[in-house]
Amino acid sequence: MKIQKMVFASLLVAIGTMVGHVIYIPVGVAKCFPIQHTINVISAVLLGPYYAVLNAFLISLLRNILGTGSILAFPGSIFGAILASYIYKKSNKISLSALGEIIGTGIIGGLVAFPMAKFILGKEVGAFFFVVPFMLSTIGGSIIAIAVLKSAFAYKLTKDDGRHSA
């Protein structure tokens, strides 16, 4: 089972690293990049807290190394993964896990990004500057994750009941 989790986690890291900056949803003048948040919720539900946080960290690190992300990817992913995992572990509900991702990334990650932008990147922005864009991305990604997970669970149920035909 541990090997299967490691392989699945590796696959999610590869997907997040390679397409996280390519797939976006236009929201007015902004672009919502939902893949990281989709992966956070999927990891939280299917793999648990350790893998979810590790996946978020590795995707952020690899995207920074490859030049497709910024240092703000760390607070923009890790806090959501932590909260999504913790809430799913306590509630066993996908929708609450997604809410944890939204609060962790959108609010906590958005606020933690402020001092990073100011002191590390030298950007003068308001304390809540990152909350709105982080919220847009994480809401989009969380909705996608809910749809993917509910579809996967529905498929598994029909397959397990013998009602699935090839």
Side-chain angles (χ1 to χ4, degrees), residues 36-95:
Q36 176 66 59
H37 314 293
T38 302
I39 290 171
N40 280 357
V41 176
I42 291 171
S43 295
V45 170
L46 297 180
L47 299 173
Y50 173 77
Y51 285 101
V53 173
L54 186 61
N55 284 355
F57 176 79
L58 289 173
I59 292 168
S60 297
L61 180 65
L62 289 169
R63 289 190 60 218
N64 271 272
I65 289 170
L66 295 170
T68 61
S70 76
I71 195 161
L72 301 178
F74 291 99
S77 64
I78 292 173
F79 292 104
I82 290 168
L83 204 51
S85 299
Y86 177 75
I87 290 174
Y88 185 77
K89 191 172 183 177
K90 295 294 181 187
S91 71
N92 208 30
K93 294 188 183 293
I94 295 169
S95 57

Side-chain angles (χ1 to χ4, degrees), residues 141-159:
S142 295
I143 290 169
I144 293 167
I146 289 170
V148 167
L149 288 167
K150 297 243 181 200
S151 296
F153 286 143
Y155 173 79
K156 183 178 180 343
L157 286 175
T158 59
K159 184 177 176 190

